[in-house]
Structures are given as C-alpha cells and as structure tokens.
C-alpha cells in the first residue's frame, strides 16, 4: 500500500510499504477513505518531537471502512464506515473507565520510554513517535486499529467523510479546551492560535455560552474564519500588543479564561524569541511557549488557562509567579476524544456545527509532501488539509 | 556470589481473586514474562522453568511454591541445582476506592560464579528492575485489556514491500 512516511525533519515521502495485518484479537484493519494533516504533525515535521524513526508512517486523523476484524471485535463488521479517535485506548483500565481515554494505561508498547521522560505513560497515539507507541499512522491506504471494539464509532448513513473526519481530533480537542474553561454567563474567553484547533475551541466556547470570544493570530484569513464561523472578535498579534488589547477589551479585568491553541512552536518577534531559539539550538529547551506566557499574564485573577496546544518536554520562563499569585487553574492534555464523539456527532447532525467549514485544501495522498509544506508555511490561505488515499 | 533484589508494584483493575488466579495458573506466565520460554508443572507445588539468558544461553531451574494464600500471596523459591537461584514473593491486596488490586513483587536472584554469572550480572545490572516492571506491565495489559499491546509486524517505510494489494 501507499503511506506517508516521516523521513527526516521537513521531509515526508509517500512510499510503498507492506499492508498492515491483524496483530491482536481486538484489532481491525481499516481502509482509509479520508485522512487529515494536523498541527500536531507539524511538530513532527519540524523535528520538535524526538524519537521519530525514518520510515515511521504518519497520521492520527482518519476515517474509513472496516475490511478485517480480529476475533474479539464483535461490534464492527466488514464494510462499516468508522470514525477512529486518535488516542489508542483499551476501554477497561482505571483511566478509560473514568473517561480519561488519552491516558489509557495499556496501549503504549513503549511505555518505559514515556516513563523515563514523564514519570508515567499516556495512551499510544497513531503515527506520533516512538515515545507514544511507535504505531503506524493513518495517512495511508490502510491502517491497523487496536482495541477496535472500544474506540471507533460508526458513521451514520448519509454523513460524508468531510463532515466527520474532524471528529477524530480537532473538534473534540477544541471542545475539551473550551469545556476546561468552566464558562459562565458573562465570561470572555481569549484563544491564542486560529488554526483548526483554535477554530474549534472558538466555536465551542461560543456554543458553551461565552459572552465574548477573542481570537488571536497573525494570519488574516484565519482571523476572518474565526469572525465568520463563530462571531469572534479578533486581534492580530503582529499589529497590537496582545496583553494591553485584551485588558482594554475586557474593561481592565482580563479574559476569564485563556486557551493556548498555538502550542510549543508559537511565534514571537521580540527578544524573548531570540533567547528561546538560542536555547533550542543548544538543545536546552524543546519549545517556544510564547502564547502560553502571554496567556498566563493576560488572564484575569482566578481564571483558567486551558492548553490544548501540544508540549513535548521542557520549556523555559513560564511565569509561574503570575500563575500562582493570580490563583490560576491550569488544565491541559491530549484530548479524551472517545468522551466527546457521540455528543459532538449529534451536534453536527443537528446542524449546530459543521466542522468541514475548516477544511480549505483537498488533495490526493500522493500530494502529502506539498500539503505538509503549505500547511507548515500557512501558504495559499491553508488552514486544514485533507488527503484522499 | 552477587545477589540482586527487585521490588516493584503495579495496580490492576481487576479483583484480587482474578489477579491471583491468573498468576497462579503458571501457564499464563510465559505470555507476559518475556524471558521465560516455558514452564512445566511437576506436581501441585513444583514446576520446571526454562528461560532465555544473554547470548543465546538457556537457563533452567526447578521451583517450589512455599506459600500460597488464595487471593493474597504466592511465594516461591528455586530448588538446589538452579542455573540462577531465585526466590520471590508476590502479594495481592485490594487497592483503595475501587481501583482493583495492588500487586507487589519482591524477587531476589543469586547469580552463579564464573562466566555465566558475569554475563548475567551485566544484564541484571543494566536493569533487572526494568525487566520485572515490563513483565508486570504486560501482566496488567493481559488482565485489563485481554491482550498485550504491540507494533511488532506492522508496516513502516523501513521495510520493502512484500506484496502489494489487498
Ligand atoms: N491536545 C490535543 O489533543 C491536541 C490535538 C490536536 C492538536 N493539538 C495541538 O494544537 C496546536 C494547534 O494545532 P493546529 O492544527 O490548529 O495547528 P496550526 O499550526 O494550524 O495552528 C497554530 C496557530 O497558532 C498561531 N500562533 C503561533 N504563534 C502564536 C502566538 N504567539 N500567538 C497567537 N497565535 C499564534 C499560528 O499562526 C497558527 O495559526 C498544536 O500545538 C497541536 O499540536 C493538540
Ligand atoms: Zn491531530
Ligand atoms: Zn485503557
């Protein structure tokens, strides 16, 4: 089959590889009908997540059709169309039972590696480095899905792949980020980053009752999408001082909650950026937490910092003093996609959200290298690329 | 003779009875203990163990269960003549608040002298703890998920395509 393989930083290649096979009784094999490139994949593409091996198959956002099932998979049959959540989760452990699916105890074959770095291991993730299991991903014609009896959800008849593909990650991720904010009447929520995850968080914050949502980015087309799709107010951080502007917009109080949907590769133009780049070059730091720093400073006292943006290992100069003295709550993590699948699918069916609005580029799997490049550089007003194998 | 002690613990989301029974049924053990090749029962309390050692070495010993309390603990020791003398104690106790069962393992090895002892010493010093933790992790996966997570045999761009098409 064909698959998108990580070769080296800034190089992915579509290669012929062997077809996947069932390896465990709870596995299924899916023929991928639509897959997407995620901002998280850019961290791999850019070389920010260590422990990628040349030849690793990428991709954790995919939907498709069941072509083979293991002997313990009784809920799916050949021909079923399914949405596959990006965390690989057993459904039976302490964490899965408490709806903390991305923290599953039993799905990372390389758990010892993760324990070395983080103390304990989260769930495995498709196509997301050796540390998170080294699983072959779904930017391919076929993919093996472990615990197929616990995670995947059947796609109701009449729904298109484009309507549901963002349920594998982006929409639940934005929704969880907004839910973390404990939004109450009158609340203002500020969102750093208007990529797909930011857009989903902005939309979700509005749906969950935020009085105002303030979206921050430097790409005009993304800010425009936030205004059009979710009625957000917008700030271009290349043009204004974000912290001052937020203070002003919120009557001097600060946003009640701040969402960092930019993650570890956030940009900065000032001196702070020079410091972080120098440290990264020396391998002392593995992220540039500019959005996070700003969010902590901007947030009102007693507010919430919600972090869907991914961080891998170490970051410097997090203003802990501000977080502590303002009594902030920090909430973060990979998304518990399985928890949100059904309720969000229903919202899509009721017409409350149409996540396909975020998709700007449709390509063949063969064009993945081009897709990665334009998504990385935000060229051609690219917000979200989907690939059809 | 060098001796090595490993202590480790894991919590398994099943009852102490289930966890104890699965451990006591020795035939499960080679599924989660990577270095154990086979175990054959030789009576109610006796068994014969064969393990894969470093550099293709095969190690064997007879073991005897010295304490056995249903749902609570199992202790064993190797009998004279073992390639690697070992004894161990695994305790099962209810974890608080509906969290299943805590499995606490304590295992002691006594390495033989000579070349074999040296080779084993190298392996053990590099991480007998890790080895046992890995075994317990796989045991937990079997108990909770019914299978052991793996990627062995999956495709990657490092292989040449065997055959194409489905
Ligand atoms: N928690 C999860 O489970 C989860 C799931 C999916 C994605 N993510 C993460 O979410 C983040 C965003 O993903 P995406 O797909 O939207 O990627 P993306 O690259 O399209 O979006 C990031 C956006 O942040 C903006 N940005 C950069 N620096 C900024 C700054 N200082 N202030 C404000 N905006 C800034 C960029 O211009 C860009 O529009 C990534 O870190 C990704 O890894 C997390
Ligand atoms: Zn993603
Ligand atoms: Zn689990």
């Amino acid at each position: 089959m064909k698959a998108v393989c990580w070769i080296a930083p800034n190089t992915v290649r579509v290669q012929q590889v062997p077809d996947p096979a069932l390896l465990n009784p709870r596995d299924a094999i899916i023929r991928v009908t639509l897959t997407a490139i995620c901002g998280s994949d850019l961290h791999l593409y850019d070389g920010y997540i260590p422990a990628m091996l040349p030849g690793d198959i990428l991709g954790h956002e995919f939907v498709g059709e069941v072509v083979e099932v293991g002997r313990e998979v009784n809920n799916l049959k050949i021909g079923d169309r399914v949405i596959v959540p990006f965390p690989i989760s057993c459904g039976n452990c302490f964490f899965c039972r408490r709806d903390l699916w991305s923290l599953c105890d039993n799905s990372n074959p390389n758990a010892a590696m993760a324990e070395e770095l983080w103390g304990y291991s989260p769930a495995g993730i498709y196509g997301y480095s050796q540390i998170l299991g080294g699983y072959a991903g779904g930017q391919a014609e076929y993919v093996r899905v472990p615990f197929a009896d616990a995670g995947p959800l059947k796609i109701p008849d009449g729904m298109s792949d484009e309507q549901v593909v963002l349920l594998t990650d982006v929409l639940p991720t934005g929704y969880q980020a907004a839910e973390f904010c404990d939004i109450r009447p009158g609340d203002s929520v500020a969102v750093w980053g208007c990529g797909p995850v930011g857009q989903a968080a902005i939309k979700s914050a509005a749906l969950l009752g935020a009085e105002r949502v303030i979206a921050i980015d430097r790409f005009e087309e993304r800010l425009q999408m936030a205004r059009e799709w979710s009625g957000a107010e917008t700030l271009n951080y290349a043009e204004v001082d974000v912290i001052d502007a937020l203070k002003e917009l919120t009557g001097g109080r600060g946003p009640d909650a701040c969402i960092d949907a930019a993650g570890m590769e956030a940009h900065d133009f000032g001196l702070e950026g020079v410091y972080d780049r120098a440290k990264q070059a020396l391998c002392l730091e593995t992220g540039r937490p500019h959005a996070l720093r700003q969010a902590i400073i901007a947030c009102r006292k007693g507010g919430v910092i919600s972090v869907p943006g991914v961080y891998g290992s170490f970051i410097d100069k997090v203003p802990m003093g501000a977080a502590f003295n303002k009594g902030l709550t920090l909430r973060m993590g990979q998304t518990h996609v399985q928890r949100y699948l059904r309720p969000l699918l229903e919202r899509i069916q009721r017409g409350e959200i149409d996540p396909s609005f975020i998709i700007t580029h449709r390509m063949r799997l063969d064009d993945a290298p081009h897709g990665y490049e334009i998504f990385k550089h935000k060229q051609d007003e690219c917000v979200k690329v989907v690939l059809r194998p | 003779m060098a001796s090595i002690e490993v202590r480790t613990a894991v919590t398994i989301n099943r009852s102490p009875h289930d966890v104890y029974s699965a451990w006591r049924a020795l035939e499960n053990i080679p599924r989660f203990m990577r270095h154990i090749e086979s175990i054959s029962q030789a009576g109610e309390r006796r068994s014969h163990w064969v393990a894969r050692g470093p550099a293709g070495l095969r190690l064997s010993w007879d073991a005897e269960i010295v304490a056995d309390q249903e749902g609570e603990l199992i202790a064993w020791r190797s009998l004279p003549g073992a390639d690697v003398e070992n004894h161990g104690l695994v305790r099962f106790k209810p974890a608080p608040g509906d969290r299943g069962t805590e499995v606490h393992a304590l295992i002691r090895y006594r390495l033989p002298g000579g070349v074999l002892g040296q080779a084993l010493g190298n392996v053990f010093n590099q991480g007998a703890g890790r080895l046992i933790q890995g075994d317990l992790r796989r045991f937990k996966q079997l108990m909770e998920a019914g299978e052991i997570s793996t990627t062995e045999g999956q495709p990657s761009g490092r292989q040449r395509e065997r055959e194409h098409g489905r």
Side-chain angles (χ1 to χ4, degrees), chain A residues 43 190-194 215-218 237 242-243 246 255 257-269 272-273 276 285 287-299 304-311 315-319 326 328 330:
Chain A
H43 301 318
V191 181
W192 276 254
C194 297
I216 306 156
D217 206 305
R218 74 175 187 287
Y237 71 86
V242 170
I243 294 172
L246 285 172
C258 294
I259 297 178
D260 168 7
M264 66 174 136
E265 293 186 62
H267 292 249
D268 179 78
F269 295 123
E272 199 194 339
D276 285 312
E285 191 184 27
R288 305 181 298 224
H290 305 300
L292 181 62
R293 287 176 190 147
Q294 273 191 348
I296 291 173
I297 300 294
C299 195
V304 176
I305 305 291
S306 164
V307 188
V310 163
Y311 290 85
I315 51 173
D316 277 353
K317 293 207 155 67
V318 172
K326 292 198 291 177
L328 301 185
L330 271 72

Side-chain angles (χ1 to χ4, degrees), chain A residues 57-132:
Chain A
I57 299 173
L58 292 164
H60 58 270
E61 302 183 359
F62 54 90
V63 295
E65 186 185 300
V66 176
V67 293
E68 218 179 323
V69 291
R71 64 168 193 274
E72 296 290 332
V73 180
N74 300 315
N75 59 322
L76 298 179
K77 54 181 195 314
I78 291 166
D80 282 346
R81 293 171 63 224
V82 287
I83 304 161
V84 181
F86 78 80
I88 300 172
S89 319
C90 78
N92 299 335
C93 69
F94 173 89
F95 298 95
C96 289
R97 288 279 166 88
R98 277 161 187 73
D99 245 0
L100 300 168
W101 300 81
S102 73
L103 304 175
C104 176
D105 253 347
N106 295 319
S107 61
N108 185 355
N110 300 333
M113 236 164 145
E115 285 173 359
E116 195 96 331
L117 198 56
W118 301 322
Y120 297 92
S121 173
I125 296 180
Y126 299 96
Y128 215 66
S129 90
Q130 296 298 316
I131 298 174
L132 292 175

Side-chain angles (χ1 to χ4, degrees), chain A residues 1 5 15-20 23-26 29 53-57 68 90 92-94 105-106 108-109 111-112 115-116 133-136 142 144 147, chain B residues 11 13 31 34 97-99 130 133 137-138 140-166:
Chain A
M1 67 163 184
C5 298
Q15 263 177 232
Q16 288 288 344
V17 303
D19 286 348
L23 301 179
N24 262 334
R26 298 177 63 191
I29 306 293
L53 294 179
D56 280 352
I57 299 173
E68 218 179 323
C90 78
N92 299 335
C93 69
F94 173 89
D105 253 347
N106 295 319
N108 185 355
E115 285 173 359
E116 195 96 331
Y135 284 97
Y142 295 92
R144 165 187 166 240
F147 307 126
Chain B
T11 297
N13 201 10
R31 285 187 72 188
R34 280 265 157 92
D98 215 19
R99 283 166 168 77
R130 281 273 204 89
Q133 274 166 20
R137 189 195 322 281
R138 285 183 286 273
K140 173 182 162 78
Q141 292 182 354
L142 264 184
M143 293 302 296
E144 292 184 346
E147 59 186 40
I148 293 168
S149 69
T150 184
T151 56
E152 265 170 55
Q154 72 172 8
S156 83
R158 292 180 288 283
Q159 301 145 311
R160 313 214 76 202
E161 188 185 22
R162 282 187 299 259
E163 68 204 49
H164 184 48
R166 180 175 281 279

Side-chain angles (χ1 to χ4, degrees), chain B residues 48-76:
Chain B
H48 181 69
W49 294 57
V50 181
R52 282 177 289 268
L57 276 175
R58 184 166 288 173
L59 309 167
S60 67
W61 62 90
D62 288 318
E64 171 185 53
I65 290 183
V66 293
D68 185 5
Q69 289 169 32
E70 148 82 54
E72 286 181 22
L73 64 83
I74 302 171
W76 71 90

